[in-house]
Amino acid sequence: MSNPRNADHPIESIFLNRWSPRSYDASEMPEADLLRILEAARWAQSCYNIQPWRFLYARRGDAHWEQYVSFLDDFNRAWGQHASSLVLVLSDRIMPGDGDQRPDLPSHYHSFDAGAAATHMALQAAALDYNAHAMAGILFDDIKDQLGVPERFKIEIAVALGRRGEKESLPDFLQEMEAPSPRKPLSEIAFSGSFPAHAIPESEAA
Amino acid sequence: MSNPRNADHPIESIFLNRWSPRSYDASEMPEADLLRILEAARWAQSCYNIQPWRFLYARRGDAHWEQYVSFLDDFNRAWGQHASSLVLVLSDRIMPGDGDQRPDLPSHYHSFDAGAAATHMALQAAALDYNAHAMAGILFDDIKDQLGVPERFKIEIAVALGRRGEKESLPDFLQEMEAPSPRKPLSEIAFSGSFPAHAIPESEAA
């Protein structure tokens, strides 16, 4: 389908081409393609270059695929099962010491940095004509228990990756949502100087 | 300078061209360029498309510039004062309700999502031959008090934006660090299936 997104200021097309559909064609993804998508994530920025992100993944048809599909909640499983790969994004809550003078410390940026890596994934996927859909609706306890995720790692999200399928294969209510989402105008999110009174949410301003 | 980064799997060049130098040329940045960089951030992905990010900024020469420079800690101010723009990235701790059935709720992804927006900024900056350097070393209390940041917004980072300057203008110890940083091999951060025992950090494995 055509992409109705228009930038108010000229930006790289990769940012507008990236969006998060739910219709996937249930094809298999070559491992080489998935590694390209993860490679892009690898080069994300992070606080002190700690690189707190970790990725666990399954590809359709491999030994872990059905298990990974079972990690999605009912809503996401309904469409996510037709993806080609599922990637779990984890982040390390501890900023590792240097083994010498600097001890292990709690990380204040592990989620922030993991968000950067996750969007690198999504952008690289878009560049390869794949789509990525990030999901918070996942079974965190099952993932932790079944995949042996260490306590110090936070399970952030799952990402469904695949090629677009027919929108008509989705349930009606999801078909209605199957379009690139709009954004707030820049004038509501970016301000020169001080935080303007008009941008304070009502719940706090009241 | 040449960029020694090599991807192990082919990725878009924008990911390798983005890096975080500290030498800036202290030139002024046209507002139109800054708006392009913020526009890219606007199109980032976020949980339920909440778009929790907010940006406060000053450009060299404007009424807020000196104040923004004063928000950097001593280490970052030494080099960051030569940037062309300074952007503060905030995130909304509250996921706004719909004003009807769904109430305001605590957000679990505001930092994760803000990290996505911040890296969109950095990537768009790289595409425009600017550089972006994210900083955690900032005076959070001063920013909150002087700019009137509402309680519900978390101040995440500051970003220095500008054109590369002469590396030789930096203090010696920063000159040594003035190069694109390396990354862990993909084999240490991405795993098929379960979390492998060899990837558990020593502090937890012990």
Side-chain angles (χ1 to χ4, degrees), chain B residues 60-106:
Chain B
R60 172 177 297 281
D62 76 15
H64 283 275
W65 177 253
E66 295 298 335
Q67 182 185 31
Y68 270 57
V69 169
S70 79
F71 293 151
L72 309 182
D73 69 14
D74 289 343
F75 174 83
N76 286 323
R77 194 181 308 124
W79 59 268
Q81 64 178 307
H82 303 295
S84 301
S85 294
L86 289 166
V87 179
L88 301 167
V89 180
L90 319 178
S91 68
D92 190 351
R93 294 187 178 92
I94 302 296
M95 199 166 72
D98 61 4
D100 184 18
Q101 295 194 318
R102 197 183 69 232
D104 285 3
L105 292 171

mmCIF file of all heavy atoms in Angstrom, chain B residues 60-106:
data_model
loop_
_atom_site.group_PDB
_atom_site.id
_atom_site.type_symbol
_atom_site.label_atom_id
_atom_site.label_comp_id
_atom_site.label_asym_id
_atom_site.label_seq_id
_atom_site.Cartn_x
_atom_site.Cartn_y
_atom_site.Cartn_z
ATOM 1 N N ARG B 60 23.465 27.885 19.186
ATOM 2 C CA ARG B 60 24.529 28.866 19.409
ATOM 3 C C ARG B 60 24.067 30.247 18.958
ATOM 4 O O ARG B 60 23.545 30.396 17.850
ATOM 5 C CB ARG B 60 25.777 28.448 18.626
ATOM 6 C CG ARG B 60 26.895 29.483 18.613
ATOM 7 C CD ARG B 60 28.116 28.965 17.897
ATOM 8 N NE ARG B 60 28.661 27.807 18.613
ATOM 9 C CZ ARG B 60 29.416 27.897 19.709
ATOM 10 N NH1 ARG B 60 29.734 29.087 20.202
ATOM 11 N NH2 ARG B 60 29.838 26.814 20.315
ATOM 12 N N GLY B 61 24.208 31.204 19.848
ATOM 13 C CA GLY B 61 23.857 32.573 19.491
ATOM 14 C C GLY B 61 22.458 32.983 19.907
ATOM 15 O O GLY B 61 22.143 34.173 19.892
ATOM 16 N N ASP B 62 21.614 31.993 20.301
ATOM 17 C CA ASP B 62 20.267 32.419 20.707
ATOM 18 C C ASP B 62 20.240 32.751 22.204
ATOM 19 O O ASP B 62 21.242 32.591 22.919
ATOM 20 C CB ASP B 62 19.196 31.390 20.285
ATOM 21 C CG ASP B 62 19.147 30.139 21.159
ATOM 22 O OD1 ASP B 62 19.718 30.133 22.272
ATOM 23 O OD2 ASP B 62 18.506 29.166 20.710
ATOM 24 N N ALA B 63 19.086 33.201 22.671
ATOM 25 C CA ALA B 63 18.975 33.722 24.031
ATOM 26 C C ALA B 63 19.248 32.656 25.089
ATOM 27 O O ALA B 63 19.598 32.981 26.230
ATOM 28 C CB ALA B 63 17.581 34.329 24.241
ATOM 29 N N HIS B 64 19.088 31.389 24.762
ATOM 30 C CA HIS B 64 19.255 30.316 25.742
ATOM 31 C C HIS B 64 20.603 29.603 25.654
ATOM 32 O O HIS B 64 20.864 28.697 26.429
ATOM 33 C CB HIS B 64 18.124 29.286 25.575
ATOM 34 C CG HIS B 64 16.813 29.737 26.149
ATOM 35 N ND1 HIS B 64 16.478 29.573 27.466
ATOM 36 C CD2 HIS B 64 15.762 30.381 25.577
ATOM 37 C CE1 HIS B 64 15.267 30.061 27.694
ATOM 38 N NE2 HIS B 64 14.806 30.564 26.557
ATOM 39 N N TRP B 65 21.418 29.943 24.679
ATOM 40 C CA TRP B 65 22.623 29.153 24.427
ATOM 41 C C TRP B 65 23.540 29.046 25.648
ATOM 42 O O TRP B 65 23.924 27.942 26.069
ATOM 43 C CB TRP B 65 23.388 29.716 23.223
ATOM 44 C CG TRP B 65 24.669 28.981 22.990
ATOM 45 C CD1 TRP B 65 25.939 29.416 23.228
ATOM 46 C CD2 TRP B 65 24.803 27.628 22.509
ATOM 47 N NE1 TRP B 65 26.853 28.447 22.918
ATOM 48 C CE2 TRP B 65 26.172 27.330 22.475
ATOM 49 C CE3 TRP B 65 23.887 26.651 22.117
ATOM 50 C CZ2 TRP B 65 26.670 26.105 22.056
ATOM 51 C CZ3 TRP B 65 24.368 25.415 21.699
ATOM 52 C CH2 TRP B 65 25.752 25.159 21.676
ATOM 53 N N GLU B 66 23.895 30.171 26.224
ATOM 54 C CA GLU B 66 24.833 30.136 27.358
ATOM 55 C C GLU B 66 24.243 29.349 28.528
ATOM 56 O O GLU B 66 24.956 28.627 29.235
ATOM 57 C CB GLU B 66 25.210 31.557 27.804
ATOM 58 C CG GLU B 66 25.997 32.353 26.763
ATOM 59 C CD GLU B 66 27.353 31.707 26.415
ATOM 60 O OE1 GLU B 66 27.891 30.958 27.257
ATOM 61 O OE2 GLU B 66 27.851 31.935 25.299
ATOM 62 N N GLN B 67 22.946 29.493 28.705
ATOM 63 C CA GLN B 67 22.287 28.751 29.771
ATOM 64 C C GLN B 67 22.394 27.237 29.522
ATOM 65 O O GLN B 67 22.715 26.468 30.432
ATOM 66 C CB GLN B 67 20.812 29.170 29.846
ATOM 67 C CG GLN B 67 20.029 28.501 30.950
ATOM 68 C CD GLN B 67 18.549 28.880 30.879
ATOM 69 O OE1 GLN B 67 18.000 29.134 29.806
ATOM 70 N NE2 GLN B 67 17.909 28.914 32.041
ATOM 71 N N TYR B 68 22.136 26.835 28.297
ATOM 72 C CA TYR B 68 22.226 25.406 27.969
ATOM 73 C C TYR B 68 23.657 24.889 28.151
ATOM 74 O O TYR B 68 23.860 23.771 28.639
ATOM 75 C CB TYR B 68 21.730 25.152 26.535
ATOM 76 C CG TYR B 68 20.238 24.864 26.430
ATOM 77 C CD1 TYR B 68 19.292 25.757 26.915
ATOM 78 C CD2 TYR B 68 19.782 23.674 25.854
ATOM 79 C CE1 TYR B 68 17.940 25.498 26.819
ATOM 80 C CE2 TYR B 68 18.417 23.393 25.753
ATOM 81 C CZ TYR B 68 17.501 24.311 26.233
ATOM 82 O OH TYR B 68 16.164 24.036 26.139
ATOM 83 N N VAL B 69 24.633 25.673 27.762
ATOM 84 C CA VAL B 69 26.029 25.258 27.965
ATOM 85 C C VAL B 69 26.293 25.047 29.457
ATOM 86 O O VAL B 69 26.990 24.113 29.856
ATOM 87 C CB VAL B 69 26.997 26.305 27.372
ATOM 88 C CG1 VAL B 69 28.440 26.020 27.812
ATOM 89 C CG2 VAL B 69 26.899 26.325 25.844
ATOM 90 N N SER B 70 25.671 25.880 30.291
ATOM 91 C CA SER B 70 25.888 25.762 31.740
ATOM 92 C C SER B 70 25.252 24.499 32.308
ATOM 93 O O SER B 70 25.552 24.102 33.439
ATOM 94 C CB SER B 70 25.338 26.997 32.462
ATOM 95 O OG SER B 70 23.918 26.913 32.613
ATOM 96 N N PHE B 71 24.373 23.844 31.559
ATOM 97 C CA PHE B 71 23.731 22.609 32.030
ATOM 98 C C PHE B 71 24.644 21.391 31.884
ATOM 99 O O PHE B 71 24.322 20.304 32.388
ATOM 100 C CB PHE B 71 22.435 22.331 31.244
ATOM 101 C CG PHE B 71 21.328 23.319 31.491
ATOM 102 C CD1 PHE B 71 20.390 23.590 30.494
ATOM 103 C CD2 PHE B 71 21.201 23.959 32.702
ATOM 104 C CE1 PHE B 71 19.361 24.491 30.707
ATOM 105 C CE2 PHE B 71 20.178 24.872 32.931
ATOM 106 C CZ PHE B 71 19.256 25.136 31.932
ATOM 107 N N LEU B 72 25.743 21.542 31.151
ATOM 108 C CA LEU B 72 26.665 20.414 30.984
ATOM 109 C C LEU B 72 27.603 20.329 32.185
ATOM 110 O O LEU B 72 27.976 21.361 32.765
ATOM 111 C CB LEU B 72 27.486 20.596 29.701
ATOM 112 C CG LEU B 72 26.687 20.897 28.430
ATOM 113 C CD1 LEU B 72 27.636 20.990 27.230
ATOM 114 C CD2 LEU B 72 25.607 19.843 28.179
ATOM 115 N N ASP B 73 27.972 19.123 32.567
ATOM 116 C CA ASP B 73 28.942 19.031 33.661
ATOM 117 C C ASP B 73 30.312 19.490 33.158
ATOM 118 O O ASP B 73 30.504 19.730 31.965
ATOM 119 C CB ASP B 73 28.961 17.628 34.282
ATOM 120 C CG ASP B 73 29.541 16.545 33.383
ATOM 121 O OD1 ASP B 73 30.184 16.870 32.354
ATOM 122 O OD2 ASP B 73 29.355 15.358 33.706
ATOM 123 N N ASP B 74 31.260 19.622 34.073
ATOM 124 C CA ASP B 74 32.537 20.224 33.687
ATOM 125 C C ASP B 74 33.190 19.475 32.530
ATOM 126 O O ASP B 74 33.704 20.084 31.597
ATOM 127 C CB ASP B 74 33.487 20.242 34.897
ATOM 128 C CG ASP B 74 33.045 21.247 35.946
ATOM 129 O OD1 ASP B 74 32.222 22.128 35.615
ATOM 130 O OD2 ASP B 74 33.522 21.156 37.089
ATOM 131 N N PHE B 75 33.153 18.157 32.608
ATOM 132 C CA PHE B 75 33.801 17.346 31.569
ATOM 133 C C PHE B 75 33.168 17.617 30.210
ATOM 134 O O PHE B 75 33.858 17.851 29.223
ATOM 135 C CB PHE B 75 33.690 15.859 31.930
ATOM 136 C CG PHE B 75 34.199 14.946 30.858
ATOM 137 C CD1 PHE B 75 35.556 14.671 30.748
ATOM 138 C CD2 PHE B 75 33.325 14.356 29.941
ATOM 139 C CE1 PHE B 75 36.036 13.830 29.755
ATOM 140 C CE2 PHE B 75 33.801 13.518 28.942
ATOM 141 C CZ PHE B 75 35.156 13.254 28.840
ATOM 142 N N ASN B 76 31.846 17.572 30.165
ATOM 143 C CA ASN B 76 31.178 17.748 28.876
ATOM 144 C C ASN B 76 31.176 19.200 28.396
ATOM 145 O O ASN B 76 31.160 19.464 27.195
ATOM 146 C CB ASN B 76 29.741 17.223 28.956
ATOM 147 C CG ASN B 76 29.691 15.703 28.979
ATOM 148 O OD1 ASN B 76 30.474 15.035 28.312
ATOM 149 N ND2 ASN B 76 28.773 15.143 29.760
ATOM 150 N N ARG B 77 31.202 20.121 29.364
ATOM 151 C CA ARG B 77 31.193 21.528 28.966
ATOM 152 C C ARG B 77 32.496 21.905 28.242
ATOM 153 O O ARG B 77 32.488 22.726 27.318
ATOM 154 C CB ARG B 77 30.984 22.441 30.175
ATOM 155 C CG ARG B 77 30.619 23.878 29.797
ATOM 156 C CD ARG B 77 30.438 24.776 31.029
ATOM 157 N NE ARG B 77 29.517 24.168 31.974
ATOM 158 C CZ ARG B 77 29.820 23.907 33.251
ATOM 159 N NH1 ARG B 77 31.008 24.212 33.732
ATOM 160 N NH2 ARG B 77 28.927 23.346 34.045
ATOM 161 N N ALA B 78 33.582 21.258 28.653
ATOM 162 C CA ALA B 78 34.894 21.585 28.076
ATOM 163 C C ALA B 78 34.876 21.439 26.555
ATOM 164 O O ALA B 78 35.464 22.247 25.843
ATOM 165 C CB ALA B 78 35.969 20.691 28.696
ATOM 166 N N TRP B 79 34.191 20.409 26.062
ATOM 167 C CA TRP B 79 34.132 20.242 24.598
ATOM 168 C C TRP B 79 32.753 20.617 24.039
ATOM 169 O O TRP B 79 32.641 21.112 22.920
ATOM 170 C CB TRP B 79 34.504 18.806 24.196
ATOM 171 C CG TRP B 79 33.628 17.749 24.795
ATOM 172 C CD1 TRP B 79 33.834 17.067 25.966
ATOM 173 C CD2 TRP B 79 32.390 17.264 24.265
ATOM 174 N NE1 TRP B 79 32.801 16.194 26.204
ATOM 175 C CE2 TRP B 79 31.906 16.284 25.173
ATOM 176 C CE3 TRP B 79 31.647 17.542 23.128
ATOM 177 C CZ2 TRP B 79 30.698 15.611 24.966
ATOM 178 C CZ3 TRP B 79 30.452 16.865 22.919
ATOM 179 C CH2 TRP B 79 29.995 15.911 23.839
ATOM 180 N N GLY B 80 31.697 20.395 24.835
ATOM 181 C CA GLY B 80 30.345 20.610 24.333
ATOM 182 C C GLY B 80 30.029 22.064 24.041
ATOM 183 O O GLY B 80 29.140 22.366 23.233
ATOM 184 N N GLN B 81 30.765 22.972 24.670
ATOM 185 C CA GLN B 81 30.541 24.405 24.419
ATOM 186 C C GLN B 81 30.862 24.787 22.974
ATOM 187 O O GLN B 81 30.474 25.860 22.523
ATOM 188 C CB GLN B 81 31.405 25.231 25.377
ATOM 189 C CG GLN B 81 32.903 25.047 25.166
ATOM 190 C CD GLN B 81 33.733 25.923 26.092
ATOM 191 O OE1 GLN B 81 33.553 27.130 26.157
ATOM 192 N NE2 GLN B 81 34.637 25.290 26.832
ATOM 193 N N HIS B 82 31.577 23.908 22.255
ATOM 194 C CA HIS B 82 31.913 24.201 20.856
ATOM 195 C C HIS B 82 30.905 23.617 19.872
ATOM 196 O O HIS B 82 31.085 23.723 18.660
ATOM 197 C CB HIS B 82 33.317 23.688 20.547
ATOM 198 C CG HIS B 82 34.372 24.263 21.441
ATOM 199 N ND1 HIS B 82 34.688 25.599 21.450
ATOM 200 C CD2 HIS B 82 35.148 23.689 22.409
ATOM 201 C CE1 HIS B 82 35.630 25.843 22.356
ATOM 202 N NE2 HIS B 82 35.924 24.692 22.959
ATOM 203 N N ALA B 83 29.863 22.989 20.400
ATOM 204 C CA ALA B 83 28.810 22.464 19.519
ATOM 205 C C ALA B 83 27.988 23.621 18.949
ATOM 206 O O ALA B 83 28.171 24.783 19.337
ATOM 207 C CB ALA B 83 27.919 21.503 20.302
ATOM 208 N N SER B 84 27.083 23.278 18.041
ATOM 209 C CA SER B 84 26.257 24.304 17.390
ATOM 210 C C SER B 84 24.847 24.354 17.952
ATOM 211 O O SER B 84 24.188 25.387 17.915
ATOM 212 C CB SER B 84 26.203 24.036 15.886
ATOM 213 O OG SER B 84 27.505 24.053 15.353
ATOM 214 N N SER B 85 24.367 23.203 18.437
ATOM 215 C CA SER B 85 23.065 23.141 19.098
ATOM 216 C C SER B 85 23.170 22.172 20.261
ATOM 217 O O SER B 85 23.971 21.235 20.227
ATOM 218 C CB SER B 85 21.979 22.626 18.140
ATOM 219 O OG SER B 85 21.749 23.528 17.085
ATOM 220 N N LEU B 86 22.353 22.408 21.265
ATOM 221 C CA LEU B 86 22.227 21.469 22.374
ATOM 222 C C LEU B 86 20.752 21.113 22.512
ATOM 223 O O LEU B 86 19.902 22.010 22.558
ATOM 224 C CB LEU B 86 22.762 22.076 23.669
ATOM 225 C CG LEU B 86 24.293 22.241 23.739
ATOM 226 C CD1 LEU B 86 24.682 23.157 24.904
ATOM 227 C CD2 LEU B 86 24.983 20.873 23.877
ATOM 228 N N VAL B 87 20.473 19.831 22.537
ATOM 229 C CA VAL B 87 19.094 19.363 22.631
ATOM 230 C C VAL B 87 18.961 18.513 23.892
ATOM 231 O O VAL B 87 19.773 17.613 24.131
ATOM 232 C CB VAL B 87 18.702 18.514 21.403
ATOM 233 C CG1 VAL B 87 17.271 18.005 21.539
ATOM 234 C CG2 VAL B 87 18.856 19.328 20.115
ATOM 235 N N LEU B 88 17.951 18.808 24.688
ATOM 236 C CA LEU B 88 17.631 17.977 25.850
ATOM 237 C C LEU B 88 16.505 17.034 25.466
ATOM 238 O O LEU B 88 15.487 17.458 24.927
ATOM 239 C CB LEU B 88 17.189 18.856 27.029
ATOM 240 C CG LEU B 88 18.231 19.882 27.487
ATOM 241 C CD1 LEU B 88 17.596 20.902 28.438
ATOM 242 C CD2 LEU B 88 19.412 19.185 28.149
ATOM 243 N N VAL B 89 16.711 15.745 25.735
ATOM 244 C CA VAL B 89 15.694 14.740 25.428
ATOM 245 C C VAL B 89 14.969 14.380 26.718
ATOM 246 O O VAL B 89 15.587 13.929 27.682
ATOM 247 C CB VAL B 89 16.325 13.476 24.807
ATOM 248 C CG1 VAL B 89 15.258 12.436 24.504
ATOM 249 C CG2 VAL B 89 17.103 13.838 23.541
ATOM 250 N N LEU B 90 13.661 14.599 26.727
ATOM 251 C CA LEU B 90 12.824 14.272 27.886
ATOM 252 C C LEU B 90 11.887 13.129 27.509
ATOM 253 O O LEU B 90 11.636 12.874 26.342
ATOM 254 C CB LEU B 90 11.964 15.476 28.291
ATOM 255 C CG LEU B 90 12.590 16.870 28.280
ATOM 256 C CD1 LEU B 90 11.536 17.919 28.663
ATOM 257 C CD2 LEU B 90 13.769 16.930 29.239
ATOM 258 N N SER B 91 11.357 12.455 28.536
ATOM 259 C CA SER B 91 10.339 11.440 28.252
ATOM 260 C C SER B 91 9.228 11.531 29.296
ATOM 261 O O SER B 91 9.470 11.885 30.451
ATOM 262 C CB SER B 91 10.952 10.038 28.245
ATOM 263 O OG SER B 91 11.375 9.657 29.537
ATOM 264 N N ASP B 92 8.041 11.229 28.864
ATOM 265 C CA ASP B 92 6.834 11.353 29.690
ATOM 266 C C ASP B 92 6.612 10.058 30.459
ATOM 267 O O ASP B 92 6.367 9.002 29.859
ATOM 268 C CB ASP B 92 5.637 11.638 28.768
ATOM 269 C CG ASP B 92 4.388 12.029 29.546
ATOM 270 O OD1 ASP B 92 4.373 11.919 30.793
ATOM 271 O OD2 ASP B 92 3.410 12.445 28.882
ATOM 272 N N ARG B 93 6.698 10.137 31.782
ATOM 273 C CA ARG B 93 6.548 8.939 32.619
ATOM 274 C C ARG B 93 5.110 8.407 32.628
ATOM 275 O O ARG B 93 4.857 7.303 33.099
ATOM 276 C CB ARG B 93 6.957 9.234 34.062
ATOM 277 C CG ARG B 93 8.433 9.546 34.263
ATOM 278 C CD ARG B 93 8.725 9.632 35.763
ATOM 279 N NE ARG B 93 10.127 9.886 36.034
ATOM 280 C CZ ARG B 93 10.664 11.101 36.190
ATOM 281 N NH1 ARG B 93 9.897 12.160 36.100
ATOM 282 N NH2 ARG B 93 11.952 11.247 36.427
ATOM 283 N N ILE B 94 4.197 9.218 32.155
ATOM 284 C CA ILE B 94 2.783 8.834 32.160
ATOM 285 C C ILE B 94 2.307 8.535 30.742
ATOM 286 O O ILE B 94 2.592 9.285 29.806
ATOM 287 C CB ILE B 94 1.916 9.971 32.750
ATOM 288 C CG1 ILE B 94 2.374 10.302 34.170
ATOM 289 C CG2 ILE B 94 0.422 9.599 32.728
ATOM 290 C CD1 ILE B 94 2.193 9.193 35.169
ATOM 291 N N MET B 95 1.593 7.433 30.609
ATOM 292 C CA MET B 95 0.958 7.097 29.334
ATOM 293 C C MET B 95 -0.437 7.712 29.388
ATOM 294 O O MET B 95 -1.279 7.266 30.176
ATOM 295 C CB MET B 95 0.883 5.571 29.223
ATOM 296 C CG MET B 95 0.687 5.079 27.825
ATOM 297 S SD MET B 95 1.030 3.288 27.710
ATOM 298 C CE MET B 95 -0.400 2.641 28.571
ATOM 299 N N PRO B 96 -0.669 8.762 28.610
ATOM 300 C CA PRO B 96 -1.934 9.494 28.750
ATOM 301 C C PRO B 96 -3.142 8.616 28.442
ATOM 302 O O PRO B 96 -3.122 7.813 27.508
ATOM 303 C CB PRO B 96 -1.812 10.615 27.708
ATOM 304 C CG PRO B 96 -0.365 10.703 27.382
ATOM 305 C CD PRO B 96 0.194 9.325 27.564
ATOM 306 N N GLY B 97 -4.183 8.772 29.236
ATOM 307 C CA GLY B 97 -5.435 8.099 28.951
ATOM 308 C C GLY B 97 -6.121 8.725 27.753
ATOM 309 O O GLY B 97 -5.625 9.705 27.178
ATOM 310 N N ASP B 98 -7.231 8.159 27.385
ATOM 311 C CA ASP B 98 -7.940 8.667 26.206
ATOM 312 C C ASP B 98 -9.010 9.690 26.599
ATOM 313 O O ASP B 98 -9.825 10.085 25.777
ATOM 314 C CB ASP B 98 -8.550 7.521 25.391
ATOM 315 C CG ASP B 98 -9.562 6.720 26.200
ATOM 316 O OD1 ASP B 98 -9.841 7.105 27.355
ATOM 317 O OD2 ASP B 98 -10.061 5.715 25.670
ATOM 318 N N GLY B 99 -8.990 10.099 27.863
ATOM 319 C CA GLY B 99 -9.967 11.097 28.309
ATOM 320 C C GLY B 99 -11.344 10.502 28.509
ATOM 321 O O GLY B 99 -12.289 11.199 28.863
ATOM 322 N N ASP B 100 -11.448 9.194 28.293
ATOM 323 C CA ASP B 100 -12.758 8.546 28.392
ATOM 324 C C ASP B 100 -12.617 7.306 29.290
ATOM 325 O O ASP B 100 -12.614 7.406 30.510
ATOM 326 C CB ASP B 100 -13.228 8.192 26.979
ATOM 327 C CG ASP B 100 -14.630 7.595 26.962
ATOM 328 O OD1 ASP B 100 -15.349 7.771 27.963
ATOM 329 O OD2 ASP B 100 -14.977 6.950 25.961
ATOM 330 N N GLN B 101 -12.471 6.154 28.680
ATOM 331 C CA GLN B 101 -12.440 4.928 29.462
ATOM 332 C C GLN B 101 -11.058 4.603 30.026
ATOM 333 O O GLN B 101 -10.943 4.056 31.114
ATOM 334 C CB GLN B 101 -12.931 3.761 28.597
ATOM 335 C CG GLN B 101 -14.399 3.918 28.207
ATOM 336 C CD GLN B 101 -14.981 2.641 27.647
ATOM 337 O OE1 GLN B 101 -14.334 1.973 26.864
ATOM 338 N NE2 GLN B 101 -16.192 2.309 28.061
ATOM 339 N N ARG B 102 -10.004 4.899 29.247
ATOM 340 C CA ARG B 102 -8.669 4.498 29.684
ATOM 341 C C ARG B 102 -8.035 5.634 30.480
ATOM 342 O O ARG B 102 -7.870 6.748 29.969
ATOM 343 C CB ARG B 102 -7.793 4.149 28.471
ATOM 344 C CG ARG B 102 -6.545 3.336 28.837
ATOM 345 C CD ARG B 102 -5.678 3.065 27.622
ATOM 346 N NE ARG B 102 -5.057 4.275 27.149
ATOM 347 C CZ ARG B 102 -5.098 4.710 25.898
ATOM 348 N NH1 ARG B 102 -5.721 4.032 24.986
ATOM 349 N NH2 ARG B 102 -4.500 5.838 25.556
ATOM 350 N N PRO B 103 -7.681 5.379 31.732
ATOM 351 C CA PRO B 103 -7.095 6.452 32.560
ATOM 352 C C PRO B 103 -5.610 6.642 32.250
ATOM 353 O O PRO B 103 -5.008 5.844 31.534
ATOM 354 C CB PRO B 103 -7.259 5.906 33.986
ATOM 355 C CG PRO B 103 -7.153 4.420 33.819
ATOM 356 C CD PRO B 103 -7.773 4.107 32.471
ATOM 357 N N ASP B 104 -5.031 7.705 32.783
ATOM 358 C CA ASP B 104 -3.576 7.846 32.749
ATOM 359 C C ASP B 104 -2.944 6.659 33.464
ATOM 360 O O ASP B 104 -3.439 6.222 34.511
ATOM 361 C CB ASP B 104 -3.151 9.128 33.484
ATOM 362 C CG ASP B 104 -3.431 10.386 32.671
ATOM 363 O OD1 ASP B 104 -4.000 10.276 31.573
ATOM 364 O OD2 ASP B 104 -3.069 11.468 33.157
ATOM 365 N N LEU B 105 -1.860 6.150 32.916
ATOM 366 C CA LEU B 105 -1.179 5.009 33.526
ATOM 367 C C LEU B 105 0.329 5.266 33.542
ATOM 368 O O LEU B 105 0.833 5.986 32.678
ATOM 369 C CB LEU B 105 -1.464 3.733 32.731
ATOM 370 C CG LEU B 105 -2.899 3.200 32.775
ATOM 371 C CD1 LEU B 105 -3.064 2.078 31.760
ATOM 372 C CD2 LEU B 105 -3.236 2.719 34.184
ATOM 373 N N PRO B 106 1.033 4.648 34.487
ATOM 374 C CA PRO B 106 2.500 4.757 34.425
ATOM 375 C C PRO B 106 3.001 4.126 33.127
ATOM 376 O O PRO B 106 2.504 3.084 32.700
ATOM 377 C CB PRO B 106 2.966 3.945 35.637
ATOM 378 C CG PRO B 106 1.767 3.800 36.505
ATOM 379 C CD PRO B 106 0.570 3.839 35.607
#
